[in-house]
Amino acid sequence: MEDYILYIIRHLIPELSEEKIKETIGYTSFPEEAVQCKIIFIPSGFFNKEIYGTGSSLPVTPLKMIEDIPLLYGKPFVERINGQLIIHADIIASSYFLLSRYEEYVKREVRDIHGRFPGNQSLPYKENFIHRPIVEEYGNLLKRWLKEVGIELPRTPENFHKIYFTHDVDVPFLYRRTRSLVKSLFSPGKRKTAFHAFFGKVTDDPAFTFPWLFKRNKGLSVSIPGILCETILFLKAGGKKEEDKPFYKLWSKDIQYLLSICKEENITIGLHASYDAGLHPSFINEEKRKLEEAAKVKININRYHYLCSREPEDLLYLILAGIKEDFTMGYADVAGFRLGTCRPVYWINPADRKVHPLLLHPMPIMECTLLSPDYMQMNYNQSLDYCKTLINQVQKFNGNLVLLWHNNNVATDCLRNRQYRELYKDVLKYIRETQKADSTFC
């Protein structure tokens, strides 16, 4: 059994050891050669060298269904022969397609103005299952098949395994630079706030909402003691493109003050690889070094600015830079499960099918994806309801919930930001309610 096949099965059923998987599950077109296995998956042909990597390898739509689960490859057909289950539903290839970002690898020509693969062009979106982590559903299906052949696995707890509160520091403050102060002179409604922020403390700046965010995150963590929670702040350390503005200096008094708060509050610091580094991945190593020097901590996690993880192979540069975990795996334009899973997964490079030591964290919810007129264009109630749907899915499958809220988007300087702020409070409140905890921190 190929390493990547074994890894996918391990992701589907982590409760079963590699040795037990090899004894129990086969992936072959010749069941007679694996008589010791109780379950045989018949390959769909997806991995055949003459097909793999070509347009003809993409799933045929509309998709077939197996027990109400979309099936990307194979046939929704199971045979029972001589005590074996012969399964023609190729949930292994189907899982690989999602976990490896295979679609993005094959459809190189499909990119938005930032070079990203658009969520609204993805198979999960077009086939209406972007809101479902169907790799987890495949796992449950496999557990039921194993039970049929006498192997019963422990039931997965229906609760969060871990919750990550993540915040990208694109705009740490609005009026702490002379240029922004001068610009405010032409906006009468902003002058007073700008002068107060510029001549006062950084905490007087509308965008410096970190204490507010950290208080809410900590409040939820305390109210659900049985769930691991972690707050991560992603800071930029480079970039020269227009999209990287505003540029801020990591050694400035204000950023150093923010870093001191993070140290006191036990906040994890991660690299927010610049838009520039997304275009030129070789820049990542230098940006990581700068952040480590300024923050005086070892940096081993990353999220790309603009979520610009463009080509799947670019992740090799993260590994070369010493990054161990990446939190970019969400679509900017569509909320949901970009990798088809709600649990972290080691990166499978679709170019060589190798499993690499870089842990990818699915990120199903980003605030601006929901309410922004550029993306899903939901109203407040629709946004909250959709968040609840995604949260329920993560909880159901004992996944890791990754939330992304930008500090400048929870300022109170405009209606949309006030909506983002209220949405964050309501999302945290809903998470707390799912735990039947009693708290008034929001």
Side-chain angles (χ1 to χ4, degrees):
M1 186 179 290
E2 300 285 352
D3 288 345
Y4 61 92
I5 300 293
L6 182 59
Y7 178 70
I8 288 170
I9 298 174
R10 284 298 312 277
H11 187 80
L12 292 172
I13 45 170
E15 301 87 351
L16 212 58
S17 68
E18 287 188 10
E19 183 179 352
K20 191 67 174 176
I21 287 172
K22 291 176 181 178
E23 292 175 357
T24 308
I25 299 173
Y27 188 65
T28 176
S29 298
F30 306 100
E32 64 276 7
E33 295 180 1
V35 292
Q36 79 282 4
C37 295
K38 296 186 177 182
I39 290 180
I40 301 292
F41 283 100
I42 304 298
S44 58
F46 167 77
F47 293 112
N48 293 352
K49 62 181 180 180
E50 65 273 12
I51 295 175
Y52 186 88
T54 68
S56 62
S57 67
L58 295 171
V60 176
T61 57
L63 299 176
K64 298 180 176 65
M65 306 290 284
I66 181 164
E67 298 191 22
D68 296 323
I69 305 171
L71 180 64
L72 279 59
Y73 295 100
K75 302 174 183 178
F77 177 51
V78 177
E79 296 179 284
R80 292 158 179 81
I81 302 175
N82 298 327
Q84 287 182 315
L85 282 186
I86 310 299
I87 300 171
H88 296 261
D90 194 349
I91 63 171
I92 294 172
S94 299
S95 297
Y96 178 97
F97 177 94
L98 296 165
L99 296 174
S100 69
R101 294 164 61 196
Y102 180 81
E103 184 174 28
E104 302 177 38
Y105 168 71
V106 173
K107 294 183 176 181
R108 301 284 192 181
E109 76 287 356
V110 181
R111 298 292 185 267
D112 67 9
I113 59 171
H114 300 294
R116 305 171 300 196
F117 186 82
N120 63 17
Q121 294 300 307
S122 69
L123 179 76
Y125 179 82
K126 290 183 175 181
E127 291 293 304
N128 195 33
F129 63 88
I130 188 71
H131 60 289
R132 294 167 59 182
I134 65 166
V135 172
E136 265 65 77
E137 295 184 38
Y138 291 150
N140 279 355
L141 194 56
L142 180 50
K143 286 180 182 179
R144 291 201 295 273
W145 287 330
L146 284 166
K147 186 176 181 179
E148 280 192 44
V149 296
I151 300 174
E152 189 156 2
L153 298 175
R155 184 175 179 179
T156 302
E158 290 192 8
N159 210 341
F160 306 107
H161 183 263
K162 188 170 183 178
I163 298 174
Y164 290 97
F165 313 108
T166 72
H167 310 293
D168 294 354
V169 187
D170 299 342
V171 185
F173 29 77
L174 293 176
Y175 302 116
R176 296 291 287 179
R177 298 179 305 152
T178 303
R179 179 181 296 181
S180 56
L181 176 65
V182 172
K183 190 176 180 180
S184 74
L185 298 177
F186 300 95
S187 302
K190 297 179 180 179
R191 288 177 193 167
K192 184 177 180 180
T193 300
F195 271 80
H196 185 57
F198 185 83
F199 292 104
K201 300 177 181 178
V202 68
T203 51
D204 296 325
D205 191 279
F208 200 86
T209 59
F210 304 102
W212 185 89
L213 287 165
F214 297 165
K215 181 180 179 181
R216 266 80 205 154
N217 299 349
K218 186 175 182 179
L220 180 59
S221 301
V222 170
S223 71
I224 52 173
I227 307 297
L228 290 171
C229 296
E230 182 177 355
T231 296
I232 305 176
L233 211 63
F234 290 96
L235 285 156
K236 290 188 292 182
K240 297 180 180 180
K241 299 296 183 185
E242 183 71 22
E243 291 82 359
D244 289 317
K245 293 181 179 179
F247 308 122
Y248 54 83
K249 297 178 180 179
L250 294 172
W251 286 102
S252 70
K253 179 180 65 175
D254 291 339
I255 296 298
Q256 285 296 309
Y257 175 67
L258 172 59
L259 288 169
S260 71
I261 294 175
C262 291
K263 185 175 181 180
E264 291 174 7
E265 297 290 336
N266 197 30
I267 307 299
T268 302
I269 302 298
L271 175 65
H272 200 31
S274 67
Y275 190 92
D276 218 357
L279 293 168
H280 308 285
S282 59
F283 294 174
I284 292 170
N285 191 59
E286 178 63 12
E287 292 185 7
K288 175 176 175 285
R289 184 192 65 78
K290 289 180 179 179
L291 182 56
E292 287 179 332
E293 288 182 359
K296 299 179 178 63
V297 295
K298 184 70 175 175
I299 302 297
N300 55 26
I301 62 176
N302 173 73
R303 175 183 283 140
Y304 284 94
H305 190 33
Y306 274 68
L307 302 183
C308 280
S309 183
R310 292 179 172 86
E311 303 305 320
E313 302 95 320
D314 288 353
L315 295 180
L316 282 171
Y317 287 90
L318 294 181
I319 297 172
L320 292 173
I323 296 294
K324 305 296 185 185
E325 303 178 52
D326 183 78
F327 283 78
T328 311
M329 291 300 119
Y331 292 118
D333 62 322
V334 177
F337 300 100
R338 182 177 182 177
L339 301 179
T341 183
C342 59
R343 291 178 293 129
V345 59
Y346 282 105
W347 171 47
I348 305 170
N349 185 349
D352 60 16
R353 308 187 202 181
K354 291 182 179 178
V355 181
H356 293 266
L358 175 66
L359 198 62
L360 306 181
H361 292 267
M363 189 273 293
I365 301 174
M366 178 172 71
E367 89 282 47
C368 47
T369 301
L370 303 162
L371 288 162
S372 171
D374 296 327
Y375 295 137
M376 296 185 78
Q377 302 179 12
M378 291 182 169
N379 63 33
Y380 187 88
N381 290 332
Q382 290 171 332
S383 297
L384 180 57
D385 287 344
Y386 191 52
C387 284
K388 290 178 179 180
T389 295
L390 298 174
I391 289 167
N392 291 343
Q393 289 290 307
V394 176
Q395 185 180 40
K396 178 180 178 181
F397 294 106
N398 194 223
N400 288 1
L401 177 63
V402 179
L403 304 173
L404 168 53
W405 253 256
H406 297 77
N407 61 286
N408 56 302
N409 280 350
V410 294
T412 56
D413 57 333
C414 67
L415 175 60
R416 185 175 300 158
N417 284 351
R418 289 194 290 273
Q419 285 187 319
Y420 288 139
R421 189 183 183 98
E422 290 303 310
L423 183 61
Y424 195 59
K425 290 166 65 176
D426 281 341
V427 164
L428 297 190
K429 180 181 178 182
Y430 180 72
I431 294 170
R432 187 190 69 229
E433 288 173 349
T434 66
Q435 306 301 304
K436 296 185 171 67
D438 182 21
S439 173
T440 58
F441 74 93
C442 285

